[in-house]
């Protein structure tokens, strides 16, 4: 059976598409065999030699088509040339009359021309198809090699989410083989590991989401518990692949192992948390000692010592704020920042915050037109923190401009608080980033101000926890207005 199959495979021109191997021996052999067999047939068996001629022409046409499709232009030319030579041989060897002889020559020339045209057209078509298939196969090999060498995991699926390719890195990462045809996000039974935090279901799978929404899904993180007990953190970016008509033909996911990065971040967070806890107690004691020294020393009425003590107190206060910010950031990272909500007047809180910040010195005028009493349901201390941060920033980044405006607006379902300054402003490209953790604008002017880039991050997280929003409108060099909103209901 195997030999029969091999024989048919050898004969079938479709099986040789893309081979780019064109045989000379096979067409030569068959085309020489045909005249020999025909001659034997004509002289030994045939009753009507004219009929034999018709069969031969039919067979020659078939062979020209067959060999040009199997062995390219050369296969077709070999067949045409041998056929024409054989026709000439027949004309000379059969002792035709003059008329028959000359019409035989003309027919042979016409037939030869038709055979050659057929050989050239079909052979050229066959060779073009071969080149195309070969180019595609090379492209595939090139892509496969790149995929296998990539330091990140890659999974490619068709438009229905069935895996068509997965590289070695993703299989090493997950410690399993991903079967082809496995449908991402649907075949849960085939998910061999256990997802540490959650099962990647179809609506959570970034690849499935990007197929559904026809756009990229970036930076999704998943915890994964491997069968050997190792915990992994993976970051997944998925996107759809469209054809020239804009139809989805495939989707691809790039998966990076971010376990080391996560562990390092956690160690860093743990360190910041521990260090700020350790610093908090001595700073509180320091403040108490300074208060007690100030009380004891008052009776000496020494203005120099008084001034020094006020400075020490101010610096200790700053240190305390810094440590408390550090603690808040670390609590936010670990989800441990707690909130105690109550109903209170936000307008009063604004007035109190302004008074607290300005104290005795009034270098910059903070203008706040007190509106009607406005109640919110929120964590009073945390909202104070947000207000204090926005007002101190406004003062800090508009030092030479004297005015800062505070406004509260009540809308249908929320209140909006705005803090406006006429200071250095923030460029459009930086406006979103200033709310990121430890982000500071890196311009020449900005670098002259002290700070660690924690205030706006903490404010953003606090407002987010109240289901509100925080944003900035600003023009570089002209000033900024920071807004935050708090919903009136349902937070
Ligand atoms: P910090 O002020 O401690 O650096 P913040 O998180 O409060 O940290 O602010 C982040 C960055 O945003 C600042 O470094 C500053 O560049 C920019 N910024 C904040 N508020 C203002 C403002 N009112 N005007 C101009 N730039 C500001």
């Amino acid at each position: 059976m195997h030999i029969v199959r091999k024989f048919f495979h050898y004969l079938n021109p479709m099986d040789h598409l893309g081979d780019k191997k064109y045989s000379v021996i096979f067409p030569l052999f068959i085309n020489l065999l045909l005249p020999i067999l025909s001659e034997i047939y004509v002289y030994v068996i045939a009753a009507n030699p004219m009929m034999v001629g018709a069969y031969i022409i039919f067979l020659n046409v078939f062979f020209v088509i067959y060999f040009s499709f199997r062995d390219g232009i050369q296969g077709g030319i070999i067949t045409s040339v041998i056929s024409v030579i054989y026709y000439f041989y027949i004309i000379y060897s059969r002792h035709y009359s003059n008329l028959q002889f000359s019409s035989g020559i003309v027919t042979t020339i016409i037939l030869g021309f038709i055979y050659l045209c057929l050989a050239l057209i079909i052979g050229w078509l066959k060779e073009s198809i071969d080149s195309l298939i070969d180019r595609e196969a090379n492209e595939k090999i090139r892509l496969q090699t790149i995929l296998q060498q990539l330091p990140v995991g890659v999974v490619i699926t068709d438009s229905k989410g069935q895996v068509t390719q997965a590289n070695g890195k993703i299989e090493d990462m997950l410690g399993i083989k991903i079967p082809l045809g496995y449908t991402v996000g649907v075949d849960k039974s085939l998910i061999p590991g256990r997802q540490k935090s959650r099962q990647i279901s179809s609506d959570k799978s970034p690849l499935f989401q990007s197929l559904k929404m026809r756009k990229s899904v970036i930076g999704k993180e998943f915890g994964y518990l491997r069968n050997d007990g190792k915990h992994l953190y993976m970051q997944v970016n998925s996107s759809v692949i469209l054809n020239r008509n804009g139809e989805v033909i495939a989707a691809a996911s790039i998966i990076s192992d971010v376990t080391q990065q996560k562990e390092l971040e956690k160690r860093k967070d743990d360190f910041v948390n521990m260090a700020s806890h350790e610093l908090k107690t001595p700073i509180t004691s320091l403040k108490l000692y300074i208060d007690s020294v100030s009380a004891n020393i008052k009776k000496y009425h020494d203005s120099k010592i008084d001034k020094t003590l006020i400075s020490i107190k101010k610096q200790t206060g700053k240190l305390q704020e810094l440590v408390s910010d550090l603690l808040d950031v670390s609590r936010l990272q670990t989800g441990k920042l707690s909130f105690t909500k109550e109903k209170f007047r936000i307008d009063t809180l604004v007035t109190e915050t302004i008074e607290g910040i300005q104290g005795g010195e009034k270098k910059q005028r903070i203008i706040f037109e007190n509106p009607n009493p406005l109640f919110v349901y929120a964590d009073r201390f945390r909202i104070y923190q947000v207000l204090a941060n926005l007002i101190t920033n406004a003062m800090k980044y508009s030092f030479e401009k004297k005015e800062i405006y505070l406004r509260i607006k009540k809308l249908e379902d929320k209140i909006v608080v705005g803090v406006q300054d006429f200071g250095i402003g923030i460029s459009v490209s930086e406006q979103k980033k200033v709310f990121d953790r430890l982000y500071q604008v890196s311009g020449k002017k900005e670098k002259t101000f002290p700070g660690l880039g924690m205030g706006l991050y903490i404010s953003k997280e606090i407002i987010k926890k109240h289901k509100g929003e925080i944003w900035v409108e600003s023009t570089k060099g002209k000033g900024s207005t920071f807004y935050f909103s708090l919903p009136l209901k349902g937070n």
Side-chain angles (χ1 to χ4, degrees), residues 389-390 393-398 421 423-426 434-436 439-442 446 449-457 474 479-480 482:
N389 179 43
L390 295 186
N393 271 353
M395 290 165 76
K396 190 159 87 176
Y397 296 106
S398 68
D421 66 59
I424 61 170
I426 306 167
V434 292
F435 296 99
D436 290 349
Y439 189 84
Q440 288 186 292
V441 181
S442 57
E446 286 84 352
F449 301 98
L452 282 177
M454 292 189 286
L456 287 180
Y457 168 70
S474 183
S480 321
F482 278 84

Side-chain angles (χ1 to χ4, degrees), residues 120-339:
L120 287 176
I121 294 169
I122 298 172
W124 171 78
L125 258 173
K126 144 84 176 166
E127 287 177 24
S128 307
I129 294 171
D130 280 356
S131 300
L132 257 169
I133 293 176
D134 188 56
R135 206 183 318 152
E136 195 136 293
N138 282 343
E139 199 59 45
K140 220 173 171 179
I141 293 168
R142 204 169 8 216
L143 203 75
Q144 282 271 13
T145 317
I146 296 172
L147 273 189
Q148 293 305 334
Q149 299 302 321
L150 279 178
V152 287
V154 180
V155 175
I156 301 175
T157 70
D158 61 13
S159 59
K160 292 191 185 80
Q162 282 195 344
V163 175
T164 52
Q165 254 176 321
N167 71 349
K169 181 72 190 168
I170 181 72
E171 302 192 329
D172 288 350
M173 232 149 83
L174 303 181
I176 46 128
K177 258 205 119 40
I178 300 178
L180 295 186
Y182 165 78
T183 310
V184 175
V186 174
D187 289 343
K188 281 198 198 75
S189 56
L190 276 174
I191 295 179
R194 284 163 283 156
Q195 262 68 44
K196 194 184 151 206
S197 48
R198 53 199 147 147
Q199 182 92 331
I200 307 178
S201 56
S202 54
D203 49 331
K204 299 264 167 53
S205 147
L207 201 131
F208 215 81
Q209 281 178 348
S210 78
L211 271 174
K212 211 164 121 189
M213 299 185 297
R214 290 173 57 101
K215 61 175 190 185
S216 303
V217 176
I218 305 287
K220 292 267 170 177
E221 282 186 6
F222 294 96
Y224 181 82
L225 183 59
R226 243 166 44 173
N227 283 342
D228 61 5
K230 194 170 180 254
H231 284 199
L232 281 189
Y233 283 98
M234 300 180 293
Q235 197 179 60
V236 185
N237 293 335
S238 299
S239 66
V240 277
I241 301 166
L242 306 175
N243 67 7
R244 277 191 283 184
N245 300 331
E247 292 150 1
V248 177
I249 48 165
S253 272
I254 312 284
I255 301 120
S256 325
D257 182 353
V258 289
T259 315
Q260 266 190 349
Q261 211 174 311
K262 279 270 159 194
E263 278 168 2
L264 201 73
E265 251 172 52
K266 191 176 173 305
R267 275 213 294 279
K268 222 166 57 191
D269 287 342
D270 288 348
F271 173 75
V272 171
N273 190 20
M274 215 171 60
S276 25
H277 264 296
E278 292 298 319
L279 283 168
K280 206 175 143 189
T281 329
I283 292 172
T284 317
S285 320
L286 195 68
K287 259 195 122 179
L288 285 174
Y289 284 130
I290 295 165
D291 284 344
S292 116
V293 171
S294 322
N296 284 328
I297 239 159
K298 238 183 194 144
K299 56 186 173 228
Y300 298 110
H301 301 294
D302 188 328
S303 66
K304 237 183 176 174
I305 296 179
D306 270 354
K307 251 189 179 167
T308 316
L309 274 175
I310 288 170
S311 285
I312 295 175
K313 220 170 152 177
K314 216 168 145 187
Q315 294 307 323
T316 320
K318 276 192 180 161
L319 206 60
Q320 205 172 21
E321 275 170 24
L322 207 72
V323 171
S324 133
D325 274 359
L326 271 172
L327 258 176
D328 282 348
V329 168
S330 122
R331 283 189 194 124
L332 278 168
Q333 287 305 108
T334 49
K336 284 185 189 145
L337 196 72
S338 56
F339 292 89

